[in-house]
Amino acid sequence: MGIPSDDVVQIRHADAAGEPTVVTVSCPDKTGLGCDLCRVVLLFGLSVVKGDMSTDGRWCYIVLWVLPRGGRPVAVPWDLLKDRLLQLCPVTPPFGFDNAYLAAAGLQDVAPPAPQLFLLKLCCLDRMGLLHDVTRVLCELELTIRRVKVSTTPDGSVLDLFFITDARELLHTKNRREETQDKLESVLGDSLTCCEIDPAGEDMLSCLQSWASLTPAIMEQMFNTNLIEEQSISTRGGTISVTMDNSLSTVHTLIQIQCGDHKGLLYDIMRTVKDCNIQISYGRFYASQNGRCEIDLFAVQSDGKKILDQHRQRALCYRLRMEVHRPLRVALVNRGPDTELLVANPVEVSGKGRPLVFYDITLALKNLQKRIFLAEIGRHVVEDREWEVYRLHFGEEHELSSALRSRIVDAVTNMLMGKRSLYVSWAMFSPEITPKIRDRLQLELDWASTMTCMSTPAFFISKVSHDGFYTNPILFCWGRQCTWPTSTTMQYKVWCSLQCTSVL
């Protein structure tokens, strides 16, 4: 008999607002369990502020202190989270047997069958933010997007093909399909002309895989593999340090990581350790209020021995530094006369990637008021590593300025990494404000968002000149005033309200 499910996963809610909820998992151990649990926590919009994990190789005990991302009060479906965590935990072996015996007999860690694939076909009229609105509905329904093909016709109609799987495994039923169609219709309204859900055949998926390959120049830009030999590197978010020590334990190698926090940091670390076939016996994670994180991992190789080989130590430290510094790759490239956004998401050995990437990309572009003309998702292998590559084509009639290109890349990157960005409601500006001035102003606002902690609407006052420069801009937030100096001739004053979007 196994232990009761209530004892396998326990969720203890905070006593006061703003304090973390404690999630405790106690179950038989399996390879990559910590990575899988962190992935589900990330999927449910939670940030890990503290964590402890330990295992003797047979039984593991994991405690995670979690908060809604950004500290915002949101309704978290805790019961559903508990169910999803339970599904990841191995079944307790019967009395008289242990995990080692079951594994030797081939009765443990049997991979579940692949979920059934469905094709969702949508036809509707195009509008700003359409793709994100559809993606949001699918995420709320626990429908995972495996592949997507989006195209826009000259008359403004959109044909969206989503290859999806259902976490609840109910999409084959009539009620589940009708629920999905009703939710989509409530969001799209009268613009929706067709909504069909059918099982997808392998021939459909193989046709979707035939997409344009990445050029060598793009490969170099996105997947540059130049080694970072230094023990620590400096980044915009602070110093990243990864070290190994074999002197503190007779049986374990201590891996110490110090870095700035970002969305999914613990998942990125656990994913890397899992892919490198490193086993963690004890781990500790702590995120301070100033945005710095400290991670200590007592680890061994798959053979149970310490990591003593110098070459493997350097390779693992490099890999961890790269995954902490740049877990996802974002680039804006030219595709003939047009512009295309590329985002690469690393795929685990198990075939899974970071969740909600497409959701974050489309949300960032919606905030920027950028229309998506074409979109597709495919898999790409680079030096024995598999990546899930998202390609979004804007279909602009004119070339984007360098300032706007930087703004798009920064906004998408910030959304994916959980950093705050500021978005301006440009309709409140005087008609004399030119696109050049808007780009210049937005760049300063993006810079200001990295210097202040913003999660509420703020006010920005600036005196702007016709050449796109301005004097003494002032940013008010939470009663604090931040200023930075510039100098040019003043022409007129602009006063606008900002819509500040916190995406932590």
Side-chain angles (χ1 to χ4, degrees), residues 116-121 162-164 171-173 177 196-205:
Q116 185 177 1
L117 195 66
F118 290 85
L119 172 62
L120 167 63
K121 182 170 72 174
F162 293 91
F163 286 83
I164 57 179
L171 202 54
H172 62 282
T173 65
R177 290 198 300 269
E196 300 177 359
I197 303 176
D198 298 298
E202 291 297 330
D203 54 337
M204 297 182 183
L205 190 57

Side-chain angles (χ1 to χ4, degrees), residues 334-365:
N334 293 325
R335 187 176 181 180
D338 302 317
T339 305
E340 185 177 68
L341 176 69
L342 296 177
V343 178
N345 176 25
V347 178
E348 302 172 27
V349 175
S350 63
K352 297 179 180 179
R354 173 191 285 249
L356 301 179
V357 171
F358 197 60
Y359 176 93
D360 287 339
I361 296 171
T362 54
L363 176 57
L365 295 178

Side-chain angles (χ1 to χ4, degrees), residues 445-495:
L445 291 172
D446 291 341
W447 177 86
S449 68
T450 67
M451 305 300 292
T452 59
C453 180
M454 305 194 65
S455 61
T456 58
F459 292 96
F460 181 84
I461 302 176
S462 174
K463 296 179 179 179
V464 187
S465 66
H466 285 293
D467 61 358
F469 293 87
Y470 37 88
T471 303
N472 299 330
I474 304 174
L475 183 65
F476 294 93
C477 176
W478 283 356
R480 292 174 13 183
Q481 175 177 320
C482 302
T483 64
W484 59 96
T486 58
S487 59
T488 102
T489 305
M490 296 178 293
Q491 298 292 339
Y492 49 83
K493 181 192 291 186
V494 176
W495 185 10

Side-chain angles (χ1 to χ4, degrees), residues 332-340 369-371 393-402 404-405 408 435-436 438-439:
L332 202 60
V333 300
N334 293 325
R335 187 176 181 180
D338 302 317
T339 305
E340 185 177 68
Q369 297 292 293
K370 298 298 297 180
R371 288 184 178 274
H393 180 60
F394 296 140
E396 297 284 349
E397 297 180 355
H398 58 277
E399 185 177 355
L400 300 178
S401 65
S402 58
L404 184 54
R405 294 172 72 94
I408 293 173
K436 180 180 179 182
R438 293 185 185 184
D439 290 344

Side-chain angles (χ1 to χ4, degrees), residues 161-191:
L161 301 178
F162 293 91
F163 286 83
I164 57 179
T165 56
D166 186 7
R168 305 176 192 175
E169 299 183 353
L170 295 173
L171 202 54
H172 62 282
T173 65
K174 181 180 178 181
N175 290 341
R176 179 66 164 158
R177 290 198 300 269
E178 289 179 349
E179 177 191 15
T180 303
Q181 292 168 338
D182 291 342
K183 288 289 184 65
L184 289 169
E185 186 175 354
S186 66
V187 171
L188 301 179
D190 295 336
S191 65

Side-chain angles (χ1 to χ4, degrees), residues 122-126 130-131 148-162 372-376 393:
L122 292 175
C123 298
C124 59
L125 298 178
D126 192 18
L130 172 66
L131 188 55
V148 65
K149 184 78 171 182
V150 176
S151 57
T152 306
T153 61
D155 64 352
S157 299
V158 176
L159 173 61
D160 294 349
L161 301 178
F162 293 91
I372 300 172
F373 186 70
L374 296 171
E376 54 187 353
H393 180 60

Side-chain angles (χ1 to χ4, degrees), residues 5 9 39 44 78 97 144 186 205 216 220 225 235 315 363 370 373 469 493:
S5 60
V9 178
R39 187 181 187 276
F44 276 72
W78 296 107
F97 297 88
T144 304
S186 66
L205 190 57
E220 176 67 19
T225 57
T235 66
L363 176 57
K370 298 298 297 180
F373 186 70
F469 293 87
K493 181 192 291 186

